[in-house]
Amino acid sequence: MLSWGETLTALLIIAAVILVIGLILWLTTPVKNAPGSGVARSWIALSLIAGLLFSGVLAFAVNDSTIRSGLIGALGAAVGAATAFFFSSKSTDQAHDLLTSSLGTESIPDLIGRTPDDAMRVLSTTTLKLVSADPAYAVSAPGRTIARQDPAPGTTAPKGTTVQVTYA
């Protein structure tokens, strides 16, 4: 087992490593304050991995081989999970931005107060789709007018979005 002095030394080393990682990331960021140029995500991921790896090394201070093996296995899984999260969430953000920019967006028209046929006529000039929020009423509910809609009028949405309406 580690003494108090050895434990404190280990904590100071990992704190210094985390600060150095942050400094390196900040200094190597080409354009400061540009969208998507933040270092927080990278710093967190690299700090987690460094801390977990350092903890793995410290696990060798444990005299019980069963506990040590469990710690090393858990640390390996945690490093893998932190790495996967970093790359998957970043690529998901990029994929969403790419999808939105490639599909394009359009303004949601105001359908409130319109009849179903009138709403269908308005949406026929767009890629938007009309659907009733109440399954008891079809989109072509005769004699009814639209009381609410989602997405809200005047907002923008990706092309092909479904506009859900509620009849009065």
Side-chain angles (χ1 to χ4, degrees):
M1 290 294 168
L2 296 176
S3 68
W4 172 247
E6 292 169 330
T7 303
L8 186 58
T9 302
L11 287 174
L12 290 174
I13 290 171
I14 195 62
V17 167
I18 289 171
L19 288 174
V20 167
I21 289 171
L23 183 63
I24 290 170
L25 286 172
W26 185 75
L27 290 174
T28 59
T29 301
V31 179
K32 309 280 191 281
N33 300 326
S37 69
V39 297
R41 182 190 303 241
S42 300
W43 192 3
I44 290 169
L46 291 174
S47 297
L48 281 172
I49 291 171
L52 291 168
L53 290 174
F54 190 72
S55 299
V57 171
L58 289 179
F60 286 103
V62 176
N63 291 331
D64 186 355
S65 64
T66 305
I67 293 174
R68 185 172 46 245
S69 296
L71 284 172
I72 296 297
L75 289 170
V79 167
T83 304
F85 172 76
F86 171 75
F87 287 110
S88 69
S89 61
K90 189 169 191 167
S91 64
T92 301
D93 292 345
Q94 290 169 343
H96 181 271
D97 292 344
L98 178 64
L99 183 64
T100 301
S101 66
S102 64
L103 288 178
T105 59
E106 58 189 318
S107 181
I108 305 295
D110 188 359
L111 303 177
I112 297 172
R114 295 181 182 268
T115 64
D117 290 337
D118 192 28
M120 291 291 282
R121 184 186 53 74
V122 169
L123 292 184
S124 69
T125 62
T126 69
T127 63
L128 303 171
K129 299 174 189 98
L130 184 66
V131 68
S132 175
D134 187 355
Y137 298 104
V139 170
S140 61
R144 302 184 72 90
T145 59
I146 296 172
R148 285 193 331 243
Q149 75 179 67
D150 183 39
T155 60
T156 57
K159 289 186 176 185
T161 296
T162 299
V163 178
Q164 193 172 49
V165 295
T166 305
Y167 295 105

